Amino acid sequence: MCLFHERDCDSVSDVDWNNIGFKARETDQMFVMKCNANGEWHRGQLEPYGVLKLSPSAGVLNYGQGLFEGLKTYRTEDGRLLLFRPEENANRMILGAQRMCMPAPSVHMFVDAVKQTVIANKRWVPPVGKGSLYLRPLLIGSGPVLGLSQSPEYTFLVYAAPVGNYFKEGPDPIHLKVEDMYSRAVHGGTGGVKTICNYAPVLKAQLAAKKEGFTDVLYLDAVERKYIEEVSSCNIFIVKGNVISTPEARGCILPGVTRKSVMDIAQGLGYKVEERKVHINEVIDADEAFCTGTAVVLAPVGSITYKDTRVSFPKQKVEQHERVASNLYKLLTNLQMGKVPDTRGWTMEV
């Protein structure tokens, strides 16, 4: 067992651990592994963090053939470094690669690459309670193509960056605007996998909403425009009494690892958890709402604005510790940070 202490962080002298935010930062090393046209992966290796050399006709640049994942490492109070369910991210990348006609590293390859990246950048893991080390695995078509086709070469890489809160609100509630013009995904498309081409299209609506003072955008289904789907980069839940509901993941919704974990935790607490179509009117009538994701963890929603109607949450005045989102956040983060025994086998020590 390797023990890493806060002194490991002291050598990173230019980082204000109290204000690290969520942004790209040049760390020490990244893991790189390549696959040939026959689907054979070559042995990967750690390299200094730096610029990638790509052909201008690389498949990822011309046709968007690429996937990414996101997961975190936390430093525990007794000096350990913990990953949270990395095999789930590996399996999701494998499913995404099938949809995008790409070879994918095995679960073992994926997890080993992530571990190597953590160890190589361990001094960048924030001190306890100051944040986490965000890991970004990427799978891209790096070989040259001109006509629309699969890439003759693929690159799998993992890099890392220390991060704090994703939203500018920090731990405070976020405010969402329902988008009723633009769509995030359609049935038969790629909304259910974490491909890179899903994310840039949300920027137009997101930037417009932010100019109006909102935190982010909540998307509706592309057909009837009355069922909620996702926020730009995270899943959403609503609470009504003892029932917690979230849109079903059937091609348009990304099956988030945090989403899955929160559903399991909630069921263990006795809540009835439903995956189904959720009508926008149900959102307006809900008691609470919250978002989940690796980056956002679990963020309470303070308000949702649909057309000219703004609904604030929670509907009833309750103490912070009585809110469903607050309790789920505490249970989830206590597991991720090693503050409670992991009876579910979700954490993995590096």
PDB file of all heavy atoms in Angstrom, residues 199-228:
ATOM      1  N   TYR A 199     -20.858  17.294 -27.426  1.00  0.00           N
ATOM      2  CA  TYR A 199     -20.726  18.378 -26.455  1.00  0.00           C
ATOM      3  C   TYR A 199     -20.632  19.786 -27.042  1.00  0.00           C
ATOM      4  O   TYR A 199     -21.253  20.715 -26.509  1.00  0.00           O
ATOM      5  CB  TYR A 199     -19.547  18.070 -25.525  1.00  0.00           C
ATOM      6  CG  TYR A 199     -19.875  16.887 -24.648  1.00  0.00           C
ATOM      7  CD1 TYR A 199     -19.639  15.577 -25.080  1.00  0.00           C
ATOM      8  CD2 TYR A 199     -20.507  17.054 -23.424  1.00  0.00           C
ATOM      9  CE1 TYR A 199     -20.002  14.485 -24.316  1.00  0.00           C
ATOM     10  CE2 TYR A 199     -20.868  15.966 -22.642  1.00  0.00           C
ATOM     11  CZ  TYR A 199     -20.615  14.686 -23.096  1.00  0.00           C
ATOM     12  OH  TYR A 199     -20.992  13.606 -22.336  1.00  0.00           O
ATOM     13  N   ALA A 200     -19.887  19.981 -28.111  1.00  0.00           N
ATOM     14  CA  ALA A 200     -19.810  21.323 -28.692  1.00  0.00           C
ATOM     15  C   ALA A 200     -21.179  21.861 -29.116  1.00  0.00           C
ATOM     16  O   ALA A 200     -21.435  23.068 -28.968  1.00  0.00           O
ATOM     17  CB  ALA A 200     -18.837  21.334 -29.871  1.00  0.00           C
ATOM     18  N   PRO A 201     -22.109  21.023 -29.621  1.00  0.00           N
ATOM     19  CA  PRO A 201     -23.414  21.560 -30.021  1.00  0.00           C
ATOM     20  C   PRO A 201     -24.240  22.163 -28.885  1.00  0.00           C
ATOM     21  O   PRO A 201     -25.172  22.926 -29.155  1.00  0.00           O
ATOM     22  CB  PRO A 201     -24.122  20.335 -30.620  1.00  0.00           C
ATOM     23  CG  PRO A 201     -23.013  19.477 -31.129  1.00  0.00           C
ATOM     24  CD  PRO A 201     -21.938  19.627 -30.084  1.00  0.00           C
ATOM     25  N   VAL A 202     -23.929  21.828 -27.629  1.00  0.00           N
ATOM     26  CA  VAL A 202     -24.720  22.396 -26.528  1.00  0.00           C
ATOM     27  C   VAL A 202     -24.257  23.807 -26.160  1.00  0.00           C
ATOM     28  O   VAL A 202     -24.930  24.511 -25.412  1.00  0.00           O
ATOM     29  CB  VAL A 202     -24.672  21.500 -25.262  1.00  0.00           C
ATOM     30  CG1 VAL A 202     -25.023  20.062 -25.597  1.00  0.00           C
ATOM     31  CG2 VAL A 202     -23.321  21.575 -24.559  1.00  0.00           C
ATOM     32  N   LEU A 203     -23.118  24.211 -26.681  1.00  0.00           N
ATOM     33  CA  LEU A 203     -22.545  25.497 -26.268  1.00  0.00           C
ATOM     34  C   LEU A 203     -23.425  26.686 -26.639  1.00  0.00           C
ATOM     35  O   LEU A 203     -23.509  27.658 -25.881  1.00  0.00           O
ATOM     36  CB  LEU A 203     -21.153  25.670 -26.886  1.00  0.00           C
ATOM     37  CG  LEU A 203     -20.063  24.741 -26.350  1.00  0.00           C
ATOM     38  CD1 LEU A 203     -18.778  24.938 -27.147  1.00  0.00           C
ATOM     39  CD2 LEU A 203     -19.810  24.993 -24.875  1.00  0.00           C
ATOM     40  N   LYS A 204     -24.077  26.636 -27.784  1.00  0.00           N
ATOM     41  CA  LYS A 204     -24.881  27.774 -28.222  1.00  0.00           C
ATOM     42  C   LYS A 204     -25.980  28.097 -27.209  1.00  0.00           C
ATOM     43  O   LYS A 204     -26.139  29.248 -26.781  1.00  0.00           O
ATOM     44  CB  LYS A 204     -25.490  27.508 -29.599  1.00  0.00           C
ATOM     45  CG  LYS A 204     -26.168  28.726 -30.210  1.00  0.00           C
ATOM     46  CD  LYS A 204     -26.602  28.450 -31.639  1.00  0.00           C
ATOM     47  CE  LYS A 204     -27.235  29.683 -32.279  1.00  0.00           C
ATOM     48  NZ  LYS A 204     -26.257  30.779 -32.459  1.00  0.00           N
ATOM     49  N   ALA A 205     -26.749  27.083 -26.832  1.00  0.00           N
ATOM     50  CA  ALA A 205     -27.824  27.301 -25.862  1.00  0.00           C
ATOM     51  C   ALA A 205     -27.266  27.610 -24.472  1.00  0.00           C
ATOM     52  O   ALA A 205     -27.810  28.442 -23.742  1.00  0.00           O
ATOM     53  CB  ALA A 205     -28.727  26.070 -25.805  1.00  0.00           C
ATOM     54  N   GLN A 206     -26.167  26.952 -24.128  1.00  0.00           N
ATOM     55  CA  GLN A 206     -25.574  27.156 -22.806  1.00  0.00           C
ATOM     56  C   GLN A 206     -25.054  28.580 -22.644  1.00  0.00           C
ATOM     57  O   GLN A 206     -25.295  29.234 -21.619  1.00  0.00           O
ATOM     58  CB  GLN A 206     -24.444  26.155 -22.575  1.00  0.00           C
ATOM     59  CG  GLN A 206     -23.851  26.197 -21.177  1.00  0.00           C
ATOM     60  CD  GLN A 206     -22.607  25.334 -21.067  1.00  0.00           C
ATOM     61  OE1 GLN A 206     -21.610  25.592 -21.733  1.00  0.00           O
ATOM     62  NE2 GLN A 206     -22.673  24.292 -20.248  1.00  0.00           N
ATOM     63  N   LEU A 207     -24.341  29.075 -23.635  1.00  0.00           N
ATOM     64  CA  LEU A 207     -23.800  30.428 -23.558  1.00  0.00           C
ATOM     65  C   LEU A 207     -24.913  31.469 -23.500  1.00  0.00           C
ATOM     66  O   LEU A 207     -24.818  32.464 -22.773  1.00  0.00           O
ATOM     67  CB  LEU A 207     -22.886  30.693 -24.760  1.00  0.00           C
ATOM     68  CG  LEU A 207     -21.575  29.897 -24.779  1.00  0.00           C
ATOM     69  CD1 LEU A 207     -20.844  30.115 -26.103  1.00  0.00           C
ATOM     70  CD2 LEU A 207     -20.680  30.298 -23.612  1.00  0.00           C
ATOM     71  N   ALA A 208     -25.984  31.251 -24.264  1.00  0.00           N
ATOM     72  CA  ALA A 208     -27.117  32.176 -24.237  1.00  0.00           C
ATOM     73  C   ALA A 208     -27.765  32.191 -22.858  1.00  0.00           C
ATOM     74  O   ALA A 208     -28.129  33.253 -22.333  1.00  0.00           O
ATOM     75  CB  ALA A 208     -28.136  31.778 -25.301  1.00  0.00           C
ATOM     76  N   ALA A 209     -27.894  31.011 -22.254  1.00  0.00           N
ATOM     77  CA  ALA A 209     -28.502  30.926 -20.927  1.00  0.00           C
ATOM     78  C   ALA A 209     -27.633  31.614 -19.876  1.00  0.00           C
ATOM     79  O   ALA A 209     -28.138  32.302 -18.979  1.00  0.00           O
ATOM     80  CB  ALA A 209     -28.730  29.462 -20.557  1.00  0.00           C
ATOM     81  N   LYS A 210     -26.327  31.441 -19.991  1.00  0.00           N
ATOM     82  CA  LYS A 210     -25.422  32.064 -19.028  1.00  0.00           C
ATOM     83  C   LYS A 210     -25.468  33.587 -19.125  1.00  0.00           C
ATOM     84  O   LYS A 210     -25.351  34.286 -18.114  1.00  0.00           O
ATOM     85  CB  LYS A 210     -23.996  31.540 -19.228  1.00  0.00           C
ATOM     86  CG  LYS A 210     -23.808  30.104 -18.759  1.00  0.00           C
ATOM     87  CD  LYS A 210     -22.359  29.656 -18.863  1.00  0.00           C
ATOM     88  CE  LYS A 210     -22.187  28.252 -18.286  1.00  0.00           C
ATOM     89  NZ  LYS A 210     -20.778  27.790 -18.340  1.00  0.00           N
ATOM     90  N   LYS A 211     -25.678  34.111 -20.316  1.00  0.00           N
ATOM     91  CA  LYS A 211     -25.802  35.558 -20.476  1.00  0.00           C
ATOM     92  C   LYS A 211     -27.043  36.089 -19.766  1.00  0.00           C
ATOM     93  O   LYS A 211     -27.103  37.253 -19.371  1.00  0.00           O
ATOM     94  CB  LYS A 211     -25.849  35.924 -21.964  1.00  0.00           C
ATOM     95  CG  LYS A 211     -24.509  35.815 -22.671  1.00  0.00           C
ATOM     96  CD  LYS A 211     -24.619  36.235 -24.131  1.00  0.00           C
ATOM     97  CE  LYS A 211     -23.267  36.143 -24.832  1.00  0.00           C
ATOM     98  NZ  LYS A 211     -23.372  36.536 -26.283  1.00  0.00           N
ATOM     99  N   GLU A 212     -28.031  35.219 -19.594  1.00  0.00           N
ATOM    100  CA  GLU A 212     -29.256  35.598 -18.903  1.00  0.00           C
ATOM    101  C   GLU A 212     -29.163  35.348 -17.403  1.00  0.00           C
ATOM    102  O   GLU A 212     -30.126  35.568 -16.676  1.00  0.00           O
ATOM    103  CB  GLU A 212     -30.442  34.820 -19.478  1.00  0.00           C
ATOM    104  CG  GLU A 212     -30.738  35.129 -20.940  1.00  0.00           C
ATOM    105  CD  GLU A 212     -31.889  34.296 -21.473  1.00  0.00           C
ATOM    106  OE1 GLU A 212     -32.847  34.046 -20.721  1.00  0.00           O
ATOM    107  OE2 GLU A 212     -31.828  33.872 -22.641  1.00  0.00           O
ATOM    108  N   GLY A 213     -27.998  34.859 -16.943  1.00  0.00           N
ATOM    109  CA  GLY A 213     -27.811  34.650 -15.512  1.00  0.00           C
ATOM    110  C   GLY A 213     -28.046  33.244 -15.020  1.00  0.00           C
ATOM    111  O   GLY A 213     -27.970  32.986 -13.818  1.00  0.00           O
ATOM    112  N   PHE A 214     -28.314  32.305 -15.944  1.00  0.00           N
ATOM    113  CA  PHE A 214     -28.520  30.918 -15.539  1.00  0.00           C
ATOM    114  C   PHE A 214     -27.189  30.182 -15.455  1.00  0.00           C
ATOM    115  O   PHE A 214     -26.201  30.575 -16.081  1.00  0.00           O
ATOM    116  CB  PHE A 214     -29.443  30.203 -16.534  1.00  0.00           C
ATOM    117  CG  PHE A 214     -30.831  30.774 -16.598  1.00  0.00           C
ATOM    118  CD1 PHE A 214     -31.194  31.631 -17.631  1.00  0.00           C
ATOM    119  CD2 PHE A 214     -31.766  30.463 -15.632  1.00  0.00           C
ATOM    120  CE1 PHE A 214     -32.470  32.172 -17.697  1.00  0.00           C
ATOM    121  CE2 PHE A 214     -33.048  30.998 -15.681  1.00  0.00           C
ATOM    122  CZ  PHE A 214     -33.402  31.862 -16.717  1.00  0.00           C
ATOM    123  N   THR A 215     -27.191  29.089 -14.713  1.00  0.00           N
ATOM    124  CA  THR A 215     -25.998  28.271 -14.595  1.00  0.00           C
ATOM    125  C   THR A 215     -25.812  27.379 -15.810  1.00  0.00           C
ATOM    126  O   THR A 215     -24.707  27.231 -16.341  1.00  0.00           O
ATOM    127  CB  THR A 215     -26.067  27.379 -13.336  1.00  0.00           C
ATOM    128  OG1 THR A 215     -26.404  28.170 -12.205  1.00  0.00           O
ATOM    129  CG2 THR A 215     -24.729  26.673 -13.092  1.00  0.00           C
ATOM    130  N   ASP A 216     -26.910  26.773 -16.275  1.00  0.00           N
ATOM    131  CA  ASP A 216     -26.828  25.814 -17.367  1.00  0.00           C
ATOM    132  C   ASP A 216     -28.199  25.596 -17.974  1.00  0.00           C
ATOM    133  O   ASP A 216     -29.185  26.226 -17.575  1.00  0.00           O
ATOM    134  CB  ASP A 216     -26.229  24.487 -16.867  1.00  0.00           C
ATOM    135  CG  ASP A 216     -25.385  23.778 -17.924  1.00  0.00           C
ATOM    136  OD1 ASP A 216     -25.707  23.909 -19.124  1.00  0.00           O
ATOM    137  OD2 ASP A 216     -24.413  23.092 -17.556  1.00  0.00           O
ATOM    138  N   VAL A 217     -28.261  24.657 -18.919  1.00  0.00           N
ATOM    139  CA  VAL A 217     -29.467  24.398 -19.698  1.00  0.00           C
ATOM    140  C   VAL A 217     -29.970  22.979 -19.445  1.00  0.00           C
ATOM    141  O   VAL A 217     -29.187  22.031 -19.363  1.00  0.00           O
ATOM    142  CB  VAL A 217     -29.170  24.573 -21.207  1.00  0.00           C
ATOM    143  CG1 VAL A 217     -30.334  24.103 -22.053  1.00  0.00           C
ATOM    144  CG2 VAL A 217     -28.848  26.028 -21.506  1.00  0.00           C
ATOM    145  N   LEU A 218     -31.278  22.848 -19.319  1.00  0.00           N
ATOM    146  CA  LEU A 218     -31.926  21.542 -19.227  1.00  0.00           C
ATOM    147  C   LEU A 218     -32.628  21.285 -20.554  1.00  0.00           C
ATOM    148  O   LEU A 218     -33.474  22.077 -20.984  1.00  0.00           O
ATOM    149  CB  LEU A 218     -32.940  21.525 -18.076  1.00  0.00           C
ATOM    150  CG  LEU A 218     -33.843  20.283 -17.962  1.00  0.00           C
ATOM    151  CD1 LEU A 218     -33.011  19.010 -17.789  1.00  0.00           C
ATOM    152  CD2 LEU A 218     -34.832  20.453 -16.813  1.00  0.00           C
ATOM    153  N   TYR A 219     -32.279  20.185 -21.209  1.00  0.00           N
ATOM    154  CA  TYR A 219     -32.818  19.883 -22.535  1.00  0.00           C
ATOM    155  C   TYR A 219     -34.074  19.022 -22.463  1.00  0.00           C
ATOM    156  O   TYR A 219     -34.226  18.177 -21.572  1.00  0.00           O
ATOM    157  CB  TYR A 219     -31.759  19.172 -23.383  1.00  0.00           C
ATOM    158  CG  TYR A 219     -30.684  20.113 -23.863  1.00  0.00           C
ATOM    159  CD1 TYR A 219     -29.524  20.311 -23.118  1.00  0.00           C
ATOM    160  CD2 TYR A 219     -30.845  20.835 -25.044  1.00  0.00           C
ATOM    161  CE1 TYR A 219     -28.552  21.202 -23.535  1.00  0.00           C
ATOM    162  CE2 TYR A 219     -29.877  21.721 -25.475  1.00  0.00           C
ATOM    163  CZ  TYR A 219     -28.733  21.903 -24.716  1.00  0.00           C
ATOM    164  OH  TYR A 219     -27.771  22.797 -25.129  1.00  0.00           O
ATOM    165  N   LEU A 220     -34.958  19.238 -23.448  1.00  0.00           N
ATOM    166  CA  LEU A 220     -36.154  18.431 -23.623  1.00  0.00           C
ATOM    167  C   LEU A 220     -35.931  17.425 -24.743  1.00  0.00           C
ATOM    168  O   LEU A 220     -34.988  17.544 -25.527  1.00  0.00           O
ATOM    169  CB  LEU A 220     -37.341  19.321 -23.977  1.00  0.00           C
ATOM    170  CG  LEU A 220     -37.748  20.371 -22.938  1.00  0.00           C
ATOM    171  CD1 LEU A 220     -38.862  21.253 -23.504  1.00  0.00           C
ATOM    172  CD2 LEU A 220     -38.181  19.717 -21.636  1.00  0.00           C
ATOM    173  N   ASP A 221     -36.820  16.425 -24.833  1.00  0.00           N
ATOM    174  CA  ASP A 221     -36.701  15.452 -25.914  1.00  0.00           C
ATOM    175  C   ASP A 221     -36.905  16.148 -27.254  1.00  0.00           C
ATOM    176  O   ASP A 221     -37.595  17.173 -27.353  1.00  0.00           O
ATOM    177  CB  ASP A 221     -37.719  14.327 -25.725  1.00  0.00           C
ATOM    178  CG  ASP A 221     -39.148  14.779 -26.028  1.00  0.00           C
ATOM    179  OD1 ASP A 221     -39.722  15.517 -25.194  1.00  0.00           O
ATOM    180  OD2 ASP A 221     -39.667  14.429 -27.100  1.00  0.00           O
ATOM    181  N   ALA A 222     -36.306  15.613 -28.299  1.00  0.00           N
ATOM    182  CA  ALA A 222     -36.303  16.261 -29.608  1.00  0.00           C
ATOM    183  C   ALA A 222     -37.584  16.047 -30.398  1.00  0.00           C
ATOM    184  O   ALA A 222     -37.805  16.732 -31.406  1.00  0.00           O
ATOM    185  CB  ALA A 222     -35.105  15.746 -30.425  1.00  0.00           C
ATOM    186  N   VAL A 223     -38.451  15.136 -29.958  1.00  0.00           N
ATOM    187  CA  VAL A 223     -39.652  14.818 -30.731  1.00  0.00           C
ATOM    188  C   VAL A 223     -40.873  15.583 -30.211  1.00  0.00           C
ATOM    189  O   VAL A 223     -41.470  16.397 -30.915  1.00  0.00           O
ATOM    190  CB  VAL A 223     -39.931  13.298 -30.710  1.00  0.00           C
ATOM    191  CG1 VAL A 223     -41.211  12.973 -31.479  1.00  0.00           C
ATOM    192  CG2 VAL A 223     -38.751  12.544 -31.306  1.00  0.00           C
ATOM    193  N   GLU A 224     -41.235  15.339 -28.967  1.00  0.00           N
ATOM    194  CA  GLU A 224     -42.433  15.972 -28.407  1.00  0.00           C
ATOM    195  C   GLU A 224     -42.129  17.248 -27.626  1.00  0.00           C
ATOM    196  O   GLU A 224     -43.035  18.025 -27.329  1.00  0.00           O
ATOM    197  CB  GLU A 224     -43.164  14.972 -27.506  1.00  0.00           C
ATOM    198  CG  GLU A 224     -43.627  13.724 -28.250  1.00  0.00           C
ATOM    199  CD  GLU A 224     -44.379  12.765 -27.348  1.00  0.00           C
ATOM    200  OE1 GLU A 224     -45.523  13.072 -26.986  1.00  0.00           O
ATOM    201  OE2 GLU A 224     -43.804  11.715 -26.999  1.00  0.00           O
ATOM    202  N   ARG A 225     -40.874  17.420 -27.264  1.00  0.00           N
ATOM    203  CA  ARG A 225     -40.421  18.599 -26.509  1.00  0.00           C
ATOM    204  C   ARG A 225     -41.245  18.828 -25.244  1.00  0.00           C
ATOM    205  O   ARG A 225     -41.647  19.952 -24.928  1.00  0.00           O
ATOM    206  CB  ARG A 225     -40.438  19.843 -27.398  1.00  0.00           C
ATOM    207  CG  ARG A 225     -39.484  19.741 -28.572  1.00  0.00           C
ATOM    208  CD  ARG A 225     -39.194  21.090 -29.199  1.00  0.00           C
ATOM    209  NE  ARG A 225     -38.295  20.979 -30.338  1.00  0.00           N
ATOM    210  CZ  ARG A 225     -36.973  20.835 -30.254  1.00  0.00           C
ATOM    211  NH1 ARG A 225     -36.402  20.793 -29.066  1.00  0.00           N
ATOM    212  NH2 ARG A 225     -36.230  20.742 -31.342  1.00  0.00           N
ATOM    213  N   LYS A 226     -41.443  17.745 -24.512  1.00  0.00           N
ATOM    214  CA  LYS A 226     -42.162  17.878 -23.247  1.00  0.00           C
ATOM    215  C   LYS A 226     -41.602  16.973 -22.152  1.00  0.00           C
ATOM    216  O   LYS A 226     -42.033  17.048 -21.006  1.00  0.00           O
ATOM    217  CB  LYS A 226     -43.646  17.604 -23.439  1.00  0.00           C
ATOM    218  CG  LYS A 226     -43.997  16.211 -23.944  1.00  0.00           C
ATOM    219  CD  LYS A 226     -45.510  16.099 -24.159  1.00  0.00           C
ATOM    220  CE  LYS A 226     -45.902  14.698 -24.646  1.00  0.00           C
ATOM    221  NZ  LYS A 226     -47.367  14.595 -24.880  1.00  0.00           N
ATOM    222  N   TYR A 227     -40.638  16.124 -22.517  1.00  0.00           N
ATOM    223  CA  TYR A 227     -39.994  15.256 -21.528  1.00  0.00           C
ATOM    224  C   TYR A 227     -38.545  15.717 -21.335  1.00  0.00           C
ATOM    225  O   TYR A 227     -37.824  15.953 -22.303  1.00  0.00           O
ATOM    226  CB  TYR A 227     -40.020  13.798 -21.977  1.00  0.00           C
ATOM    227  CG  TYR A 227     -41.409  13.246 -22.122  1.00  0.00           C
ATOM    228  CD1 TYR A 227     -41.994  13.079 -23.377  1.00  0.00           C
ATOM    229  CD2 TYR A 227     -42.163  12.910 -20.993  1.00  0.00           C
ATOM    230  CE1 TYR A 227     -43.281  12.591 -23.517  1.00  0.00           C
ATOM    231  CE2 TYR A 227     -43.457  12.411 -21.121  1.00  0.00           C
ATOM    232  CZ  TYR A 227     -44.009  12.261 -22.384  1.00  0.00           C
ATOM    233  OH  TYR A 227     -45.283  11.779 -22.508  1.00  0.00           O
ATOM    234  N   ILE A 228     -38.119  15.816 -20.085  1.00  0.00           N
ATOM    235  CA  ILE A 228     -36.758  16.279 -19.823  1.00  0.00           C
ATOM    236  C   ILE A 228     -35.761  15.169 -20.151  1.00  0.00           C
ATOM    237  O   ILE A 228     -36.090  13.979 -20.099  1.00  0.00           O
ATOM    238  CB  ILE A 228     -36.576  16.744 -18.361  1.00  0.00           C
ATOM    239  CG1 ILE A 228     -36.798  15.581 -17.370  1.00  0.00           C
ATOM    240  CG2 ILE A 228     -37.503  17.907 -18.050  1.00  0.00           C
ATOM    241  CD1 ILE A 228     -36.397  15.918 -15.933  1.00  0.00           C
TER     242      ILE A 228
END
